[in-house]
Amino acid sequence: SLTANYVRLDQDILSPLAGKKQLMSIKCSALYLSQFRHTAPHLLENGDGIKKAFIIGDVYIHPSAKVHSSAKIGPGVSISANARIGAGARLINCIVLDDVEIKASLHVN
């Protein structure tokens, strides 16, 4: 099911990678995201620039995450469960873990 796919991606792959605190984890995450573009595109966000945040490239956003519509996300970004992304935030090549809040207008790359 779709829910099972989200849990597997979020908990089994992305969180352990981020926990390693190595540049390699970001590269691995980006590789997974690009693979999902071909094997499971429904897991990736397709931003329309109107209702959702502006999405660039391959981006995973957990369904429970709250992302402000003025945020710019991607490429190579994974946002985990219950994360909160503030207005005007700019995220590039990063993994946002569960329950993390990114303040308004903060740039992370």
Side-chain angles (χ1 to χ4, degrees):
S1 70
L2 181 58
T3 303
N5 285 337
Y6 273 120
V7 170
R8 185 166 57 248
L9 171 65
D10 190 46
Q11 294 181 351
D12 296 343
I13 297 174
L14 300 177
S15 292
L17 285 175
K20 295 184 185 307
K21 298 186 186 302
Q22 296 175 353
L23 180 61
M24 185 59 69
S25 67
I26 301 299
K27 292 180 188 268
C28 288
S29 177
L31 286 173
Y32 276 114
L33 289 172
S34 64
Q35 183 65 21
F36 287 137
R37 171 69 61 204
H38 302 290
T39 61
H42 61 281
L43 292 180
L44 299 177
E45 293 296 314
N46 294 311
D48 56 18
I50 299 171
K51 297 177 185 173
K52 297 182 183 179
F54 186 72
I55 305 296
I56 302 164
D58 296 331
V59 172
Y60 167 77
I61 300 176
H62 191 276
S64 65
K66 304 281 190 289
V67 179
H68 194 277
S69 61
S70 67
K72 291 187 178 179
I73 312 296
V77 174
S78 300
I79 299 175
S80 299
N82 301 308
R84 297 170 304 286
I85 311 301
R90 179 70 179 103
L91 306 182
I92 303 169
N93 294 322
C94 62
I95 300 170
V96 180
L97 295 178
D98 291 0
D99 304 311
V100 168
E101 180 176 5
I102 303 296
K103 301 290 189 183
S105 301
L106 183 67
H107 288 227
V108 180
N109 62 4

